[in-house]
Amino acid sequence: MTDLLLRGGTVVLPGVFGVRGDVAIEDGRIAAIAPEHPGPAREEVDASGLHVLPGAIDAHVHFNEPGRTEWEGWASGTAALAAGGATACVEMPLNAHPPTVDAAALDEKVAAAERAAVVDFALWGGLVPGDLDRLDELAGRGVVGFKAFMCDTGIDDFEAASDEVLGAGMERAAALGLPVAVHAERPQRLTPLEGGDWRAWAASRPVAAELEAIDRALELAEATGCSLHVVHVSTGAGVARVAEARARGVDATCETCPHYLVLAEEDMERLGTAAKCAPPLRPAAERDALWEHLAGGRIALVASDHSPCPPHMKAGDFAGAWGGIAGAQAGLQLLLDEGHHRRRLALAPLAALVTQAPAARFRLPKGRLEPGADADLALVALDDEHVLRAEDLHDRHRANPFAGRTLRGRVVRTLLRGRTVFHDGRVAPEARGRLLVPDRPRGAP
Ligand SMILES: [Zn+2]
């Protein structure tokens, strides 16, 4: 018998705005999508007036646990994701301690996540100077790929990768059939801060630093045959470079973040250090260029780069404050508000940027709304206008720069494998999240 029947929602299928129908769920999976399911079911939920989307997958979050749980933790971080319609994430190897650079550290992180995660999770391993055999260990434990920093990370337990380290790491990653993700800013192009205001921060990390780093990473990817993913690209020219390389056969993709899509550098004046991130927010023309690339299919996916810290580390001026934005809860709703309602992008391809696309890029068995798939779903009131209030945030410190913003499109309910994990403003605290590992890499032994 059907466990749960979602009645009369508008089901958003790939390439389709939405078809009215019922979604039947059995044993945590989608059993059927039908115009009118005969039932019966143990439970029915009236989804009329709501859009049914695949649960979002946030491919770039930092949850800091173990080791820096006072910054963020798996319980609070994944609660924020669930409240924002996400049912899975891919978590980064740095800002927790120990950093996820070998099997022992990865095991510690998996244990912490399994104790507390409300949604499913996959993990990035770290590519740092040192023994490359650690990449094999991490691959054996199921990481989706390896993350490297081309400049200083701002945290002393995760070292930047020189070109030499990056090249050698890419060679090994290519042999393992896994991608390398890079934070692309060329250290030689970063300049010392001249002052503590937002203009000084923006000036110290120019567009050229991003573009040069992307060029270098693309050269290395081409030379090694490694699959490359450039995280949080902040400029139109950065996206264009990745797209050009892709067109000539380099296996390269990029992501951008909601903050680069809805904020611009002058917003730092109003928002203060809550909007400090690296690369920094850019002039409005870059934001518009990113939207053009997004509409043109040149940005593979959108991810939050949720990177919180305790409030005292966000206090003070732009010189001293932590450079991360806490956006885990807002991603999907910001895309719906700005992308669908304001910029008139079609709903299905827009939603795909946070559902099918990250799943496909990192070979995760998620993001599909079809019979047989996990019943990971977000129910959205697409036209609902509401204010994202700080008190409605679930991340540890509620330092989200989007708090106070009026958003059209609200996540009403989130289901993970058929169970409601978020509804009516409340997150079910049970730790049901599971480790996701990528499908077997191509060419893996
Ligand atoms: Zn990050």
Side-chain angles (χ1 to χ4, degrees), residues 60 62 92 147 232 305:
H60 188 156
H62 300 260
M92 283 289 168
K147 167 79 178 289
H232 54 52
D305 193 7

Side-chain angles (χ1 to χ4, degrees), residues 359-444:
R361 180 64 179 98
F362 304 119
R363 302 200 306 264
L364 297 172
K366 289 283 176 176
R368 293 176 301 127
L369 216 173
E370 62 190 36
D374 281 352
D376 295 345
L377 303 167
L379 272 53
V380 171
L382 192 59
D383 285 311
D384 178 287
E385 261 195 14
H386 69 290
V387 176
L388 183 72
R389 302 178 309 169
E391 58 264 41
D392 297 333
L393 296 172
H394 292 264
D395 55 307
R396 184 172 295 267
H397 301 296
R398 303 174 173 182
N400 192 316
F402 308 110
R405 205 178 172 92
T406 300
L407 298 174
R408 189 168 164 206
R410 185 168 61 90
V411 174
V412 172
R413 184 191 288 262
T414 308
L415 297 108
L416 175 70
R417 289 189 294 275
R419 284 175 185 267
T420 294
V421 290
F422 170 77
H423 181 47
D424 254 354
R426 202 182 147 269
V427 174
E430 290 90 352
R432 297 190 199 281
R434 294 181 190 162
L435 175 68
L436 302 173
V437 301
D439 296 337
R440 198 175 174 73
R442 286 182 301 272

Side-chain angles (χ1 to χ4, degrees), residues 43-132:
E43 187 191 351
E44 290 200 12
V45 166
D46 179 11
S48 54
L50 300 176
H51 280 73
V52 183
L53 303 174
I57 301 162
D58 194 335
H60 188 156
V61 296
H62 300 260
F63 286 158
N64 315 81
E65 182 181 2
R68 292 191 182 88
T69 310
E70 69 278 15
W71 294 26
E72 182 64 286
W74 281 96
S76 49
T78 56
L81 287 177
T87 49
C89 62
V90 192
E91 206 261 352
M92 283 289 168
L94 68 161
N95 302 358
H97 186 82
T100 316
V101 296
D102 56 29
L106 185 120
D107 290 347
E108 268 192 66
K109 186 175 271 182
V110 170
E114 283 177 340
R115 275 193 299 272
V118 175
V119 304
D120 286 348
F121 56 94
L123 296 173
W124 288 99
L127 166 53
V128 293
D131 184 1
L132 287 177

